[in-house]
Amino acid sequence: MTSDDIPSGRTGRAADRTGGGAAQKAVASTAPFAASGAVIEADGVRRRYAGGFEAVAGVSFSVGRGELFALLGTNGAGKTSTVELLEGLARPDAGTVRVLGHDPFRERAAVRPRIGVMLQEGGFPSDLTVTETVRMWAGCTSGARPTGEALDLVGLAHRARVRVKQLSGGERRRLDLALALLGRPEVLFLDEPTTGLDAEGRRDTWELVRELRDGGTTVLLTTHYLEEAEALADRLAIMHRGRIVTAGTTAEVTAARPARIRFELPEGVPAARLPLGLRAAAEDRRIEIRTHRLQESLDELLTWARESGIRLHGLDARSASLEEAFLDIAQSASESEKVAA
């Protein structure tokens, strides 16, 4: 089957999402492509829309083989616009993009058979069954997996004879993933892959993505679920208004943000009795301490509690989460823009 045979609603997109064929960690880099050895590379990439709006404003990053890289950002940050350039769906207005060493727009024939794309929104022919849908897309895919194998991968084997219009939103996302994996891609683009999935489906998808990465597949993920990026990503970048404002491992991104210690003091013990070295915010008997020295502060707190004969109820100590770092970065970037204006 050729792309001309594809039903309306997804015409022209089949070859952009299916692939064929098949750990080194890369760091954000603007090194020449030939020397970097990365699988996905963007160097000073810009993309403008009608009216002069610049959705991508000089983005640079690279992704190594077998690495999972998450691209995060608020709505309108430029994530999807960036990913579309990497998928070869559009040409950058400036800068350079390479996937597997090729320009994905000009050299589509060299790139498409080796990548898989899970779009943010699918558009399946609603009257086909799940099996018929997979077989249709397999006809456009070099070296496609057997239909049963593809459905087993995403937990849809028991829904094989069900019509697409009878699937839940989460099941349609699983079908979208099955189609992206049909050609055993070397590079996999996942755009909001777990939207609509329940907690069990999300965890199953995470495990599948980990297995693909561990098997050598390079994955670029966009997601609004920060716990998803925290659980899966080897490295990540956070975009704001078309620019990358921070990048690195989760630990590197969160390192500059304070950890927190929370607990509740017993009745009759005022917050003023806490050691002077621990700055605390108190609400009734609930205490929250923010610190860049988590181990030392926790040790100081526990020593004080033991020596004072005080029991700390509901004690919870943890480093800054990716969500906290994300919100802090987004707020700081917005405030900087207001000052500049």
Side-chain angles (χ1 to χ4, degrees):
M1 181 182 294
T2 67
S3 59
D4 294 330
D5 299 317
I6 300 169
S8 61
R10 295 178 71 86
T11 301
R13 303 307 289 272
D16 294 320
R17 60 177 300 151
T18 56
Q24 150 187 352
K25 305 297 182 188
V27 296
S29 171
T30 57
F33 294 130
S36 69
V39 173
I40 299 174
E41 304 174 280
D43 185 7
V45 174
R46 295 180 180 272
R47 186 178 184 187
R48 301 181 185 89
Y49 290 95
F53 171 68
E54 191 169 46
V56 184
V59 165
S60 298
F61 65 88
S62 63
V63 186
R65 185 170 298 277
E67 182 177 26
L68 194 150
F69 186 88
L71 198 57
L72 310 177
T74 54
N75 289 330
K79 304 184 302 297
T80 297
S81 292
T82 300
V83 173
E84 287 179 349
L85 297 176
L86 296 169
E87 294 169 353
L89 301 179
R91 183 200 309 265
D93 292 296
T96 314
V97 171
R98 292 289 185 273
V99 175
L100 295 162
H102 298 279
D103 181 324
F105 185 83
R106 295 183 178 180
E107 301 175 272
R108 291 187 182 185
V111 175
R112 280 182 175 179
R114 301 169 67 186
I115 69 172
V117 178
M118 184 177 180
L119 304 173
Q120 194 171 55
E121 293 184 7
F124 306 109
S126 61
D127 287 326
L128 294 183
T129 66
V130 169
T131 293
E132 290 168 342
T133 301
V134 176
R135 286 176 177 168
M136 179 185 70
W137 291 104
C140 305
T141 306
S142 302
R145 300 175 189 269
T147 297
E149 179 184 327
L151 294 179
D152 277 337
L153 276 175
V154 299
L156 277 182
H158 67 296
R159 304 288 275 169
R161 298 183 181 181
V162 173
R163 295 190 185 278
V164 168
K165 63 184 176 184
Q166 296 174 309
L167 297 178
S168 68
E171 288 171 334
R172 292 190 185 203
R173 292 306 284 156
R174 293 190 193 188
L175 179 55
D176 228 333
L177 180 57
L179 300 187
L181 297 176
L182 266 177
R184 299 179 176 86
E186 295 175 55
V187 179
L188 182 61
F189 294 97
L190 300 177
D191 197 359
E192 306 290 344
T194 61
T195 298
L197 297 183
D198 59 20
E200 182 180 8
R202 187 172 298 148
R203 296 288 174 174
D204 289 344
T205 299
W206 289 4
E207 187 57 36
L208 173 57
V209 172
R210 287 192 188 100
E211 290 174 3
L212 291 167
R213 178 199 60 192
D214 293 345
T217 303
T218 301
V219 183
L220 192 143
L221 165 75
T222 70
T223 180
H224 283 296
Y225 297 118
L226 296 179
E227 63 167 335
E228 184 163 280
E230 200 162 16
L232 295 177
D234 298 302
R235 288 187 305 115
L236 59 91
I238 298 177
M239 293 186 68
H240 182 74
R241 300 285 179 89
R243 293 179 171 83
I244 291 178
V245 293
T246 190
T249 65
T250 299
E252 290 168 345
V253 170
T254 59
R257 276 80 198 170
R260 74 165 185 264
I261 304 171
R262 289 176 176 168
F263 57 91
E264 186 173 316
L265 286 171
E267 192 77 45
V269 179
R273 285 189 55 186
L274 287 168
L276 294 177
L278 298 178
R279 288 186 156 187
E283 180 182 342
D284 198 9
R285 290 184 291 119
R286 293 184 292 275
I287 308 297
E288 179 173 298
I289 297 170
R290 294 279 178 167
T291 176
H292 287 280
R293 301 163 49 253
L294 179 57
Q295 183 172 335
E296 293 86 345
S297 296
L298 186 58
D299 183 61
E300 184 178 357
L301 175 66
L302 293 175
T303 298
W304 168 79
R306 183 176 62 254
E307 292 177 349
S308 303
I310 293 173
R311 189 173 191 82
L312 305 176
H313 301 290
L315 179 63
D316 178 47
R318 63 185 64 194
S319 300
S321 67
L322 183 57
E323 180 177 6
E324 290 170 321
F326 178 87
L327 294 173
D328 184 30
I329 290 166
Q331 182 178 1
S332 297
S334 296
E335 290 174 351
S336 296
E337 289 170 356
K338 289 178 182 178
V339 171

